[in-house]
Amino acid sequence: MTTNKNIEKYLWITTVVFVTYLFLGSFVVSRNFYELVYLIILYSFMCAVKIIDRKK
């Protein structure tokens, strides 16, 4: 049986994969480095939040 925690986890993973796909696709099509910078900022923010959350 699926719990709410698992649903939230899979929904978060799906969202991150979809946003990554959009930013990478936009970067490949337009060769605009801002999309790549946005993707790097997104992943660095997510890593920082995970590290801060583990310390609590």
Side-chain angles (χ1 to χ4, degrees):
M1 215 168 148
T2 310
T3 62
N4 286 339
K5 190 77 167 175
N6 284 343
I7 292 173
E8 291 173 9
K9 178 181 173 184
Y10 292 130
L11 183 62
W12 176 249
I13 291 171
T14 304
T15 304
V16 170
V17 168
F18 182 67
V19 169
T20 302
Y21 174 75
L22 290 178
F23 277 135
L24 283 177
S26 178
F27 172 70
V28 167
V29 169
S30 69
R31 297 286 187 215
N32 190 353
F33 285 102
Y34 287 121
E35 280 86 7
L36 193 60
V37 171
Y38 293 148
L39 188 62
I40 291 169
I41 290 171
L42 173 72
Y43 277 110
S44 62
F45 180 75
M46 288 188 325
C47 290
V49 168
K50 274 199 176 264
I51 290 170
I52 291 171
D53 191 40
R54 284 186 187 168
K55 289 183 179 180
K56 287 184 179 181

